[in-house]
């Protein structure tokens, strides 16, 4: 791909030069970015809706560069070669089952026991496939199981049993700990397996950043299915659309954490996810971004990265 900065809004040259807007879905109203020499276009969600007042969708080539730093450089290297399609690797169910024990040694379980009681804590961990790991004393494993019941791998993390906060920034994966050679980790949404359950088929979906937030929120609000991306940057439909396909056709609400503007482009998590939502919409996901936390946030909560689980616990 040419450098996205060289792309300009396409000049009108008849119907073929105007497209369907990813936001309002009107045909023939969307102007895309085109390379003046090669005629190559940026992805179909990059452009401006002509219905400025009624729709107002605008996603510039500059926005695209900010959202995909290095996209241009990487593509230059890889576009010369046909992309090898490496199928995702899966792990054995027996490993997952074996880890679903030793809960008294699991700090996350101990924290949840204080919060919601032992019975509920056990039920939540069983429902979400959260196990215990020996990798660090007190560690937990968040297994990622997809809609087809494939185990993608497990993320190992450590919490403080009293505060429920991360014990250290380190995290690892079960396949890495086991030293599996050539393992192709292809992450799915944490909790994705729940979308396939009969009782959840009609439910809306709520998406948060962290696994812990998802499991806690599910205890307070069970009218939606709570899933986690596994991190702010892992809501990445533009670069990993496959991860978000299970959401197509469903009513989805995104709950980004509170955050201060980052030093890179001044975005808060809310702003970043609002932009990503445009791409999800383009894929056919009916998505909104919750403003709940934005509306109630204090400066201190912003600084501390307050999330929807913190809010629900306080309420
Ligand atoms: Zn529009």
């Amino acid at each position: 791909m040419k450098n996205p900065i060289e792309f300009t809004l396409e000049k009108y040259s008849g119907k073929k030069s105007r497209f369907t807007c990813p936001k309002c879905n009107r045909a023939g109203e969307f102007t895309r970015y085109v390379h003046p020499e090669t005629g190559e276009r940026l992805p179909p969600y990059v452009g401006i809706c002509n219905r400025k007042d009624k729709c107002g969708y605008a996603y510039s080539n500059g926005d695209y560069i900010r959202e995909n730093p290095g996209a241009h450089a990487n593509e230059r290297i890889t576009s010369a070669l046909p992309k090898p399609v490496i199928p995702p690797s899966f792990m054995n169910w027996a490993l997952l089952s074996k880890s679903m024990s030793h809960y008294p040694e699991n700090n996350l379980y101990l924290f949840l026991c204080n919060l919601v009681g032992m019975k509920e804590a056990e039920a939540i961990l069983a429902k979400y496939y959260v196990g215990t790991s020996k990798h660090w004393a007190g560690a937990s494993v968040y297994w990622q199981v997809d809609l087809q019941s494939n185990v993608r791998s497990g993320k190992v993390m450590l919490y403080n049993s009293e505060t429920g906060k991360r014990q250290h920034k380190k995290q690892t994966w079960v396949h890495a700990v086991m030293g599996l050679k050539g393992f192709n980790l292809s992450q799915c949404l944490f909790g994705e397996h729940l979308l396939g359950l009969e009782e959840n088929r009609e439910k809306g979906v709520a998406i948060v950043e962290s696994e812990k937030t998802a499991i806690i929120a599910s205890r307070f609000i069970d009218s939606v299915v709570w899933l986690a991306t596994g991190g702010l940057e892992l809501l990445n439909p533009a670069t990993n659309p496959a991860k978000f396909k299970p959401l197509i056709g469903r009513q989805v609400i995104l709950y980004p954490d509170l955050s201060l503007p980052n030093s890179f482009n001044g975005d808060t998590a809310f702003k970043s996810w609002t932009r990503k939502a445009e791409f999800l919409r383009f894929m056919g996901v009916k998505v909104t971004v919750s403003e709940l936390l934005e509306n109630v946030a204090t400066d201190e909560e912003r600084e501390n990265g307050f999330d929807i689980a913190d809010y629900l616990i306080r309420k």
Side-chain angles (χ1 to χ4, degrees):
M1 188 200 259
K2 293 273 188 187
N3 190 338
I5 204 71
E6 296 169 6
F7 286 61
T8 55
L9 285 166
E10 187 164 3
K11 289 213 175 76
Y12 186 77
S13 61
K15 269 189 177 171
K16 276 190 179 159
S17 64
R18 292 296 177 267
F19 300 82
T20 300
C21 170
K23 186 180 179 193
C24 66
N25 276 322
R26 285 289 185 94
E29 295 284 5
F30 194 62
T31 308
R32 287 174 59 182
Y33 279 83
V34 67
H35 194 275
E37 284 154 27
T38 63
E40 185 185 12
R41 293 192 179 94
L42 289 180
Y45 60 96
V46 186
I48 287 184
C49 181
N50 298 340
R51 304 170 70 223
K52 284 206 174 71
D53 297 331
K54 289 197 172 123
C55 169
Y57 180 88
Y59 189 109
S60 71
N61 57 340
D63 294 330
Y64 179 74
I65 294 164
R66 269 197 297 280
E67 291 276 288
N68 303 278
H72 155 233
N74 290 338
E75 291 213 40
R76 188 181 282 173
I77 298 162
T78 53
S79 63
L81 304 162
K83 249 191 193 157
V85 181
I86 310 166
S89 303
F90 301 133
M91 300 199 81
N92 203 314
W93 265 97
L95 264 176
L96 183 157
S97 302
K98 220 178 110 191
S99 79
M100 303 286 288
S101 60
H102 296 83
Y103 285 134
E105 296 154 34
N106 183 327
N107 288 358
L108 177 64
Y109 169 78
L110 297 173
F111 170 72
L112 289 173
C113 283
N114 277 332
L115 189 66
V116 297
M118 203 168 96
K119 252 187 139 175
E120 293 246 19
E122 274 170 18
I124 296 175
L125 297 191
K127 174 173 151 186
Y128 274 93
Y129 297 130
V130 183
T132 304
S133 166
K134 283 184 293 195
H135 187 64
W136 297 300
S140 314
V141 192
Y142 293 111
W143 292 98
Q144 289 184 7
V145 180
D146 66 24
L147 257 179
Q148 288 75 37
S149 298
N150 299 308
V151 182
R152 301 293 185 101
S153 188
K155 191 199 272 185
V156 182
M157 293 174 90
L158 183 64
Y159 295 93
N160 178 300
S161 61
E162 267 156 43
T163 62
K165 300 278 175 227
R166 295 275 297 276
Q167 191 96 317
H168 48 61
K169 288 280 178 205
K170 273 186 274 181
Q171 66 172 49
T172 186
W173 292 88
V174 176
H175 64 273
V177 172
M178 292 172 68
L180 298 182
K181 290 258 166 8
F183 190 91
N184 178 30
L185 171 66
S186 169
Q187 292 195 56
C188 66
L189 290 162
F190 172 73
E192 185 183 303
H193 63 282
L194 298 170
L195 293 176
L197 300 183
E198 194 59 46
E199 69 262 31
N200 293 335
R201 295 259 164 88
E202 303 298 318
K203 283 187 188 171
V205 179
I207 298 183
V208 295
E209 292 178 28
S210 94
E211 294 88 348
K212 191 189 87 181
T213 307
I215 64 174
I216 291 175
S218 78
R219 159 65 176 68
F220 293 98
I221 301 173
D222 70 353
S223 53
V224 293
V225 183
W226 291 86
L227 307 180
T229 59
L232 172 66
E233 299 304 327
L234 293 173
L235 184 77
N236 50 0
T239 50
N240 188 6
K243 182 174 176 182
F244 301 91
K245 272 194 181 155
L247 302 175
I248 291 174
R250 297 193 78 136
Q251 202 76 49
V252 175
I253 181 156
L254 306 178
Y255 286 96
D257 289 359
L258 286 174
S259 76
L260 296 170
N262 68 27
S263 55
F264 173 56
N265 62 4
D267 268 5
T268 57
F270 178 80
K271 267 196 183 165
S272 162
W273 278 28
T274 299
R275 264 214 306 277
K276 306 279 177 73
E278 299 289 358
F279 190 82
L280 286 172
R281 235 167 256 141
F282 185 77
M283 286 177 66
V285 181
K286 299 169 209 147
V287 62
T288 53
V289 188
S290 169
E291 292 180 23
L292 174 75
L293 294 179
E294 294 295 317
N295 292 338
V296 301
T298 63
D299 290 345
E300 198 190 341
E301 286 164 351
R302 242 174 234 293
E303 224 159 283
N304 292 329
F306 198 76
D307 63 38
I308 187 70
D310 298 322
Y311 176 80
L312 293 169
I313 290 171
R314 199 174 57 185
K315 274 193 86 183

